Amino acid sequence: MKLKRVLSVVMAAAMVMSMTACGGGSSSESGGSAAGSEAKSSAAESAPESEAGGSEAEAAGSEAEAGGSEAPAESSGLSGTLKVAAVETAYGQDMWKEVCAAFEAANEGVTVELTIDKKLEDIISPEMKSGVFPDVIMRAVGAESGLTETFVKDNNLVDLTDVLAMEVPGESVTVGDKILPGFVENSITNPYGDGKTYLMPMFYGPCGLFYNQGLFTEKGWEVPTTWDAMWELGETAKAEGIALFTYPTAGYFDAFFYALLHESMGNDKFQEALKYGEGIWDTPEAQAAFDIIEKLASYTESTTPANANDNDFRKNQQLILDNKALFMPNGNWVIGEMADAPRADGFEWGFTALPAVTDGGERASYSFFEQIWMPAGAENQDLGKAFIAFLYSDEAASIFAEKGGAVQPITGMTDKLDGDNKLYYSIYDTGAVAVMDAFATTDPVEGVTARSTFFDPINSLVTGDKTKDDWVSQIKSDSDALRAALK
């Protein structure tokens, strides 16, 4: 195997001892390994920014592998050393190790050096400051470090639009034709609004509200389809000593907030809000979203803010397993994160889109997805683009699904899923509207980020240290600054 170890075992061990994140300990090594969807992101943090499948995904991977295309037998003519850096999340490392090894096997003149760590920035940032960059970086927007956003804001990305026109290695289809609609036509992958793609979509997961279906069955409760029904259930649960809501960290409100805004505002005003439109936060549609979050904060388990950090977030997730809270926003990676956690008798994961703002109105589910990209300082850009194209092959997709439970937004993948994964990834087949956009990219604004403006204040709403009016006032002020700095 040509994959090279680039970080010492000692350093890896040190990182294991000193770091924790949404998937366990930390390690970093080269040679074919990497991360799956980050426990956020978003999400995002992420999520993605972060996500593991399980036996269903393994079965899906086996099916994908059976129907996938083999790597071309003839030499590709590619050569050189490719440096790949990936954040490790709940998907683990093995899938990346095998994908990188498969790329090497298909390209005899290529050696892949892979660096992977849960705190990837701590490993690659010092080298990048000295002018040494990875060729390909797997790090999603929405991370607390803001690494990807910094490269976007500084215009330090390689234009990857031509990758969409490249033929998937070993297959008679282009990358662009294989990627599902919407995943390269959004403000995340095309951050400058110039029709060009700079971040390529990778693993995705619908985000919504997770709950214990077993508890609902036991109690005879219906999952609310409107926010009015949600408040009624909140009172019912409160009478039994159960909180209506919790969340892992405030960062998880990115997916939640985007979906809620889309429900309350409709797509046109939603797009205006993402660009910090003047006066947009004074509209009745925006105020409806703020009112819902204010009321939801009053129904949130009181211990949530104290544990809403990178070390203790699992305590908040445990509230769902212990029947101490009913709903939490999350992505499907939570199943892997909590796989070994104790749970109430009869526990069964349930998943739903956000309730509608009005009866019969839209129900939305944000789709978090990770992105892979190339820094402008990458030395081997052609080789990096070839590697990215390979990631959309059936061969790579089967490895990602089988070894990590990671699902890519490419044609045919959902047909190969069953069990829990079928439930989560088919949410858009049962009426939910998919939302994928994010707040527009701006030049750096000192002390202001989308996360600090829109999401982090949720903790203060729950504790009572900040009122809804305080929060909205901050949003308006920060939006003025961000609007002036739009790219």
Side-chain angles (χ1 to χ4, degrees):
M1 180 178 292
K2 292 175 286 184
L3 295 168
K4 295 181 179 178
R5 181 174 299 272
V6 296
L7 296 176
S8 69
V9 174
V10 173
M11 177 175 289
M15 296 299 288
V16 170
M17 297 293 291
S18 64
M19 299 179 185
T20 57
C22 295
S26 168
S27 67
S28 79
E29 65 179 54
S30 158
S33 143
S37 191
E38 129 167 350
K40 230 159 86 84
S41 23
S42 192
E45 175 125 61
S46 19
E49 292 102 353
S50 342
E51 302 170 13
S55 59
E56 293 87 357
E58 291 180 9
S62 297
E63 293 181 30
E65 187 170 9
S69 300
E70 295 183 356
E74 296 181 1
S75 174
S76 64
L78 296 173
S79 63
T81 298
L82 180 70
K83 296 181 179 180
V84 176
V87 65
E88 181 187 356
T89 59
Y91 289 146
Q93 298 190 4
D94 288 348
M95 63 180 192
W96 279 104
K97 290 178 178 179
E98 293 206 14
V99 163
C100 290
F103 183 70
E104 287 184 337
N107 302 279
E108 294 184 357
V110 173
T111 295
V112 178
E113 291 184 357
L114 175 69
T115 300
I116 180 168
D117 200 280
K118 288 182 173 65
K119 295 291 186 180
L120 182 67
E121 292 85 341
D122 293 347
I123 305 301
I124 65 175
S125 291
E127 289 189 343
M128 291 195 298
K129 288 179 180 178
S130 64
V132 179
F133 295 85
D135 298 305
V136 176
I137 297 177
M138 177 69 185
R139 189 49 156 152
V141 299
E144 187 173 0
S145 67
L147 174 70
T148 303
E149 288 88 342
T150 298
F151 273 80
V152 172
K153 291 176 180 180
D154 292 342
N155 294 295
N156 278 335
L157 300 175
V158 173
D159 180 1
L160 299 178
T161 308
D162 56 343
V163 175
L164 298 173
M166 294 173 63
E167 191 170 89
V168 177
E171 302 175 21
S172 57
V173 62
T174 65
V175 172
D177 286 340
K178 196 165 184 180
I179 294 175
L180 295 176
F183 278 89
V184 290
E185 297 95 14
N186 57 75
S187 59
I188 296 176
T189 58
N190 299 35
Y192 307 122
D194 57 0
K196 297 179 180 180
T197 298
Y198 292 84
L199 294 89
M200 294 289 289
M202 282 296 290
F203 318 118
Y204 81 108
C207 296
L209 299 178
F210 282 77
Y211 62 96
N212 177 7
Q213 179 61 60
L215 177 63
F216 276 70
T217 301
E218 174 190 337
K219 298 291 186 181
W221 293 341
E222 296 290 332
V223 176
T225 58
T226 67
W227 283 105
D228 284 342
M230 185 71 114
W231 309 138
E232 292 177 7
L233 178 60
E235 290 300 315
T236 300
K238 183 188 297 183
E240 301 203 20
I242 304 173
L244 178 66
F245 192 73
T246 188
Y247 53 88
T249 70
Y252 279 71
F253 267 86
D254 56 358
F256 180 95
F257 192 62
Y258 291 134
L260 181 61
L261 281 182
H262 200 276
E263 286 186 350
S264 67
M265 306 182 84
N267 190 62
D268 289 345
K269 287 187 177 179
F270 174 68
Q271 295 299 328
E272 186 178 349
L274 296 182
K275 297 180 176 63
Y276 322 103
E278 188 169 1
I280 191 64
W281 305 118
D282 291 317
T283 63
E285 294 85 354
Q287 291 299 317
F290 295 142
D291 289 344
I292 287 172
I293 292 179
E294 177 188 38
K295 193 164 187 175
L296 193 59
S298 71
Y299 280 102
T300 298
E301 217 289 327
S302 61
T303 61
T304 296
N307 295 317
N309 56 71
D310 288 347
N311 292 322
D312 301 317
F313 69 94
R314 285 187 182 83
K315 294 180 181 179
N316 290 334
Q317 295 178 167
Q318 186 67 40
L319 294 173
I320 302 299
L321 280 71
D322 291 340
N323 291 336
K324 294 181 179 179
L326 292 186
F327 293 101
M328 70 171 169
N330 220 311
N332 68 326
W333 58 85
V334 69
I335 298 172
E337 286 179 346
M338 306 303 289
D340 298 326
R343 58 203 62 209
D345 291 342
F347 181 88
E348 178 185 352
W349 284 111
F351 180 65
T352 184
L354 268 61
V357 175
T358 58
D359 191 19
E362 171 186 301
R363 299 190 63 195
S365 168
Y366 190 84
S367 184
F368 170 75
F369 65 97
E370 293 186 77
Q371 306 88 42
I372 195 161
W373 45 278
M374 297 179 64
E379 292 186 358
N380 299 299
Q381 296 187 11
D382 289 341
L383 185 55
K385 290 179 179 180
F387 176 75
I388 292 175
F390 174 76
L391 298 181
Y392 297 95
S393 67
D394 287 347
E395 180 181 7
S398 69
I399 294 171
F400 285 132
E402 182 178 0
K403 297 299 181 181
V407 178
Q408 294 161 277
I410 57 178
T411 56
M413 286 303 296
T414 56
D415 294 336
K416 300 178 175 68
L417 302 175
D418 56 18
D420 285 342
N421 274 349
K422 187 70 171 180
L423 169 68
Y424 304 130
Y425 286 99
S426 64
I427 189 171
Y428 303 124
D429 299 330
T430 56
V433 173
V435 180
M436 284 182 281
D437 284 293
F439 285 111
T441 301
T442 69
D443 289 321
V445 177
E446 185 175 359
V448 178
T449 65
R451 176 168 173 160
S452 65
T453 298
F454 295 99
F455 315 135
D456 285 346
I458 301 299
N459 285 329
S460 297
L461 291 180
V462 176
T463 61
D465 293 332
K466 182 172 288 191
T467 67
K468 180 192 72 173
D469 290 341
D470 294 333
W471 180 42
V472 174
S473 178
Q474 177 186 348
I475 287 175
K476 291 178 181 178
S477 176
D478 288 356
S479 290
D480 289 342
L482 293 167
R483 188 186 321 118
L486 278 170
K487 284 287 189 181

